[in-house]
Amino acid sequence: MVDQQQLWDEEAAQSYDTPGTGMFSPEVLGPTIEVLKGLADGGRAVEFAIGTGRVAIPLAESGVEVAGIELSRAMVARLREKVGEDRIPVVLGDMATASAGEDFALAYLVFNTISNLLTQDEQVECFKNAARHLRPGGCFVIELWVPQLCALPPGHGGTVEVSEPGYILVDTVDVLHQRVVSHHFHFEADVDGGRQADVFRTPHRYIWPSELDLMARLAGFHLESRWADWSRAAFTAESRSHVSVYRLG
């Protein structure tokens, strides 16, 4: 069993933010906030696995009342360096079971975080927990990658997903249990001109879109929209990720 508190520790929390670049770039956050604000439609929003507030803070700044659930104390501490409890209240706990209240218009999970729940049962419970938070007709939004098993060479159990100066991402896959471990290698030049690597590993349980839709139905949701990304681009057989909007009731 993975200890998520140990995985998402103080070191991980302090290095998580990349202001202005990557998933913190305006090109990523702008469309994300636009979609979520529109779906909240004047109501309150709750973010499952709120982390350091990458999405919650700009969503709150846009005028949406936001609360959160987060398992990692270190991630919440980093969030608190940026915004107080009075602005964005956070419940410390598991997103599959913890409660931040009721009568929300919107619940959301971004950047693949539902896959941090490592069993199908836990992922189903996450949907049920979202339903408990929402008012009738509320939305649950999930951003998730599409498994790329077709990219696995015959006889190999992993793929290089990213290769750029200073960083390599390798995913190893257990297709029997729908598990992926992402190995993040960060390189820095040492004093002798060589390269030293720091490795950070994150386990996931991948979910096919059709499986996700069935989980939603078990919790009383139906699929309202599915896009390839936050710009609402069409989801196709070639899409590597999706943003899925589920409506309660």
Side-chain angles (χ1 to χ4, degrees), residues 226-236 239:
R226 172 166 289 140
W227 310 301
D229 54 36
W230 293 102
S231 72
R232 300 185 179 91
F235 179 75
T236 72
S239 298

Side-chain angles (χ1 to χ4, degrees), residues 46 48 69 93-102 104 107 117 122-134 140 219 221 248:
V46 57
F48 287 12
I69 295 173
D94 188 327
M95 59 184 165
T97 57
S99 176
E102 299 177 344
F104 288 92
L117 299 170
E122 289 175 311
Q123 291 166 349
V124 169
E125 288 304 313
C126 184
F127 270 93
K128 292 180 179 178
N129 197 28
R132 289 191 291 268
H133 280 79
L134 292 171
F140 187 30
F221 292 96
L248 185 63

Side-chain angles (χ1 to χ4, degrees), residues 2-67:
V2 176
D3 186 337
Q4 296 286 348
Q5 286 282 3
Q6 185 176 6
L7 179 63
W8 300 104
D9 59 9
E10 184 174 349
E11 182 179 356
Q14 290 300 321
S15 63
Y16 188 79
D17 293 0
T18 57
T21 64
M23 62 181 177
F24 285 80
S25 69
E27 293 79 12
V28 173
L29 282 176
T32 304
I33 301 308
E34 180 184 353
V35 169
L36 293 176
K37 183 176 181 179
L39 290 172
D41 193 25
R44 298 185 301 143
V46 57
E47 180 171 354
F48 287 12
I50 195 171
T52 66
R54 178 183 72 93
V55 172
I57 292 174
L59 185 59
E61 290 173 345
S62 78
V64 178
E65 185 179 342
V66 182

Side-chain angles (χ1 to χ4, degrees), residues 10-234:
E10 184 174 349
E11 182 179 356
Q14 290 300 321
S15 63
Y16 188 79
D17 293 0
T18 57
T21 64
M23 62 181 177
F24 285 80
S25 69
E27 293 79 12
V28 173
L29 282 176
T32 304
I33 301 308
E34 180 184 353
V35 169
L36 293 176
K37 183 176 181 179
L39 290 172
D41 193 25
R44 298 185 301 143
V46 57
E47 180 171 354
F48 287 12
I50 195 171
T52 66
R54 178 183 72 93
V55 172
I57 292 174
L59 185 59
E61 290 173 345
S62 78
V64 178
E65 185 179 342
V66 182
I69 295 173
E70 175 57 52
L71 186 63
S72 166
R73 291 181 175 85
M75 299 292 268
V76 174
R78 177 73 180 115
L79 170 64
R80 287 289 164 251
E81 294 174 11
K82 297 181 278 186
V83 65
E85 176 76 16
D86 58 330
R87 185 72 182 279
I88 301 180
V90 176
V91 171
L92 194 67
D94 188 327
M95 59 184 165
T97 57
S99 176
E102 299 177 344
D103 201 37
F104 288 92
L106 172 68
Y108 64 94
L109 269 169
V110 295
F111 205 65
N112 308 320
T113 45
I114 193 171
S115 68
N116 291 344
L117 299 170
L118 299 180
T119 69
Q120 186 183 70
D121 286 345
E122 289 175 311
Q123 291 166 349
V124 169
E125 288 304 313
C126 184
F127 270 93
K128 292 180 179 178
N129 197 28
R132 289 191 291 268
H133 280 79
L134 292 171
R135 65 193 186 192
C139 285
F140 187 30
V141 181
I142 293 179
E143 178 187 17
L144 188 60
W145 95 96
V146 177
Q148 297 295 308
L149 300 191
C150 60
L152 280 175
H156 293 262
T159 58
V160 177
E161 295 295 315
V162 179
S163 178
E164 58 189 33
Y167 176 65
I168 294 176
L169 169 60
V170 176
D171 281 349
T172 53
V173 184
D174 174 357
V175 295
L176 183 62
H177 300 99
Q178 291 186 210
R179 293 288 183 88
V180 170
V181 178
S182 294
H183 309 262
H184 305 264
F185 297 89
H186 294 272
F187 297 87
E188 294 183 1
D190 63 24
V191 293
D192 298 320
R195 307 288 282 180
Q196 293 182 334
D198 292 323
V199 183
F200 180 62
R201 295 180 173 89
T202 54
H204 310 273
R205 181 186 184 272
Y206 62 80
I207 316 169
W208 300 103
S210 57
E211 182 186 10
L212 199 71
D213 294 348
L214 182 55
M215 292 180 183
R217 289 175 58 190
L218 291 172
F221 292 96
H222 65 272
L223 179 67
E224 181 173 88
S225 303
R226 172 166 289 140
W227 310 301
D229 54 36
W230 293 102
S231 72
R232 300 185 179 91

